[in-house]
Amino acid sequence: MKELPLTVKRSIELLGLVLIGALFVVASDIIMPVIMAFFISIMLLPVYRWLRKYKVPEIIAIIFPILLVVIFIGIIAWFFTSQVGNLVSDFPEIKKNVAQHLKSLSEWISNISHYSPTEQLNFINKKSNDLLNMAGGMASGAALTLSSVFVFVGLLPIYIYLMLFYKDILLRFVFMWFKTPDHPKVKEAIYETESIIKNYLVGLLIQITYMTILLGGLLMLFGIQHALLIGIIFAILNLIPYVGALIGNIIGVLLTITASTSLTPVITVLAVIAAVQFLDNNILMPRIVGSKVKINALIAILGVVVGGSIAGVSGMFLAMPLIAVLKVIFDRTESFKQWGVLFGDERPAKSPMTFPIFRRKGNVKLTSGTQKD
């Protein structure tokens, strides 16, 4: 690659990115379970190693942590469904509250425009067929998505077991891609990648737990209905950087509106979510995750959007750990170091347009991406 012109090198890099993206789009149903299984396998490695240290048979040492994951997911699913059941049981009251809100909205529209309640009703009836057709299409799509989810979940334990069982083969495969003098760097990158993934995923599990308890508990203290359901929905959606928090706020507001005819609970929910999110972003999560890899907000948002476009919800959740792993690899590869800089959160201390030293790949003075000038 060194003897090739710079334009050819960059063209090959961009072509490689396009091909990788096309591969993810075409085979996302195959690739995403494998990536998810890889991340979970990394998280289960400490349990596996601890069991093997005490001479536990290898098969049992692999199956036991997988069973722990299944039990944990089952507890979350049971808790979520029980809260949804409580919401369904309140459906008559919800219907009454929604009717009241729609009446108030209709009166407000009549006051600020020339549309009477009768005209508004005719407009709604006119559009109802379109909405029903759209709902039918969404329902058929949801059925396909649900079936793919069952396939996804069913394959995960198998992939996790095989990855833990054949981990030495996978490691040998990785080392054989590089020359012997580069093996120490490869080993360092593997250890750092393992550490990043473990810290990230364990941190997310802890975050889901304390966000649900903290947010749900505070909302219960303020007398908000469906407080725990709002807490767990926001905690799970908050795992999606930037976008998830916005969706979580919207769902929290909608659940609160359906449970009350007053706007005071809505303001309370937004205020509590803002306070808990500030505490989470600035105090709790940085201490829990403690990752040395910093991803800038632009790449994080693009990663979530692209991941969602390629692989749906699973792509949005996996975008950040994938980007973090890629940054570790790029930072240690001379030919791809510029991509590591692009992904990072540390800005040059001075403008590269004015100071030539900041145009180089070598070590330069950097500042945090969140620091103000």
Side-chain angles (χ1 to χ4, degrees):
M1 289 288 288
K2 290 185 178 179
E3 66 275 5
L4 294 176
L6 181 63
T7 53
V8 176
K9 293 180 182 179
R10 298 298 170 256
S11 299
I12 293 175
E13 288 179 16
L14 292 175
L15 179 61
L17 289 174
V18 171
L19 291 176
I20 291 173
L23 180 64
F24 270 86
V25 171
V26 173
S28 61
D29 291 340
I30 299 173
I31 295 174
M32 298 314 293
V34 175
I35 296 177
M36 178 69 79
F38 170 73
F39 286 151
I40 297 176
S41 300
I42 295 294
M43 188 177 63
L44 298 181
L45 268 178
V47 180
Y48 168 82
R49 289 168 178 161
W50 183 81
L51 292 173
R52 291 294 291 162
K53 179 182 177 182
Y54 290 96
K55 309 300 181 182
V56 175
E58 186 175 16
I59 294 178
I60 297 177
I62 295 174
I63 293 177
F64 180 73
I66 295 176
L67 287 177
L68 291 180
V69 173
V70 172
I71 293 171
F72 179 79
I73 295 175
I75 291 173
I76 293 179
W78 168 80
F79 179 76
F80 184 78
T81 53
S82 65
Q83 295 302 313
V84 173
N86 294 334
L87 179 66
V88 173
S89 64
D90 293 337
F91 184 75
E93 182 181 354
I94 291 174
K95 185 177 179 181
K96 179 181 176 182
N97 292 334
V98 170
Q100 180 65 36
H101 287 301
L102 290 176
K103 181 180 178 182
S104 301
L105 179 63
S106 176
E107 292 174 353
W108 177 74
I109 292 175
S110 298
N111 291 332
I112 65 171
S113 68
H114 61 278
Y115 291 103
S116 66
T118 302
E119 291 174 321
Q120 296 173 35
L121 183 61
N122 291 334
F123 177 80
I124 293 174
N125 291 333
K126 183 179 179 180
K127 296 297 181 180
S128 61
N129 290 332
D130 295 336
L131 292 174
L132 288 174
N133 292 333
M134 184 184 300
M138 292 176 65
S140 60
L144 293 174
T145 303
L146 189 60
S147 63
S148 63
V149 166
F150 281 119
V151 173
F152 188 105
V153 174
L155 288 174
L156 273 182
I158 300 173
Y159 286 146
I160 295 170
Y161 177 88
L162 294 176
M163 285 183 180
L164 290 174
F165 188 77
Y166 293 117
K167 66 184 184 306
D168 291 334
I169 293 179
L170 297 174
L171 287 172
R172 186 164 185 255
F173 170 78
V174 172
F175 278 110
M176 289 177 68
W177 274 88
F178 302 91
K179 297 178 181 179
T180 303
D182 294 329
H183 284 181
K185 285 187 176 181
V186 176
K187 185 177 179 181
E188 180 186 352
I190 290 174
Y191 277 129
E192 186 168 351
T193 299
E194 178 184 337
S195 175
I196 289 169
I197 293 173
K198 284 192 297 188
N199 289 341
Y200 185 80
L201 294 181
V202 173
L204 292 186
L205 293 178
I206 297 174
Q207 185 188 35
I208 289 176
T209 303
Y210 74 67
M211 284 285 285
T212 302
I213 296 174
L214 188 59
L215 181 57
L218 287 174
L219 292 178
M220 287 181 68
L221 288 177
F222 284 104
I224 303 298
Q225 286 186 275
H226 314 301
L228 290 178
L229 181 60
I230 294 174
I232 191 171
I233 289 176
F234 186 86
I236 294 175
L237 290 174
N238 193 52
L239 302 183
I240 304 174
Y242 305 103
V243 179
L246 175 61
I247 299 174
N249 274 278
I250 294 173
I251 293 178
V253 168
L254 291 177
L255 288 174
T256 307
I257 287 177
T258 59
S260 173
T261 57
S262 173
L263 292 180
T264 303
V266 175
I267 298 174
T268 302
V269 168
L270 291 175
V272 171
I273 289 177
V276 171
Q277 195 171 11
F278 177 83
L279 182 67
D280 172 61
N281 292 339
N282 296 281
I283 299 176
L284 297 177
M285 200 57 185
R287 296 177 183 273
I288 291 171
V289 176
S291 175
K292 296 180 181 179
V293 177
K294 304 295 183 181
I295 308 298
N296 67 68
L298 174 62
I299 295 299
I301 294 175
L302 284 174
V304 170
V305 173
V306 173
S309 300
I310 292 175
V313 176
S314 60
M316 298 176 75
F317 279 109
L318 294 175
M320 287 303 292
L322 273 175
I323 292 173
V325 170
L326 288 175
K327 177 165 170 52
V328 171
I329 296 172
F330 292 154
D331 286 342
R332 282 161 177 75
T333 307
E334 188 64 27
S335 57
F336 295 109
K337 195 176 288 289
Q338 63 272 15
W339 292 98
V341 172
L342 178 64
F343 285 10
D345 189 42
E346 294 179 323
R347 301 177 302 166
K350 303 291 183 178
S351 172
M353 295 293 291
T354 307
F355 298 89
I357 189 174
F358 294 102
R359 303 170 193 169
R360 304 173 185 171
K361 289 186 178 181
N363 294 328
V364 295
K365 186 178 179 181
L366 303 172
T367 61
S368 172
T370 57
Q371 181 175 330
K372 301 293 184 182
D373 289 330

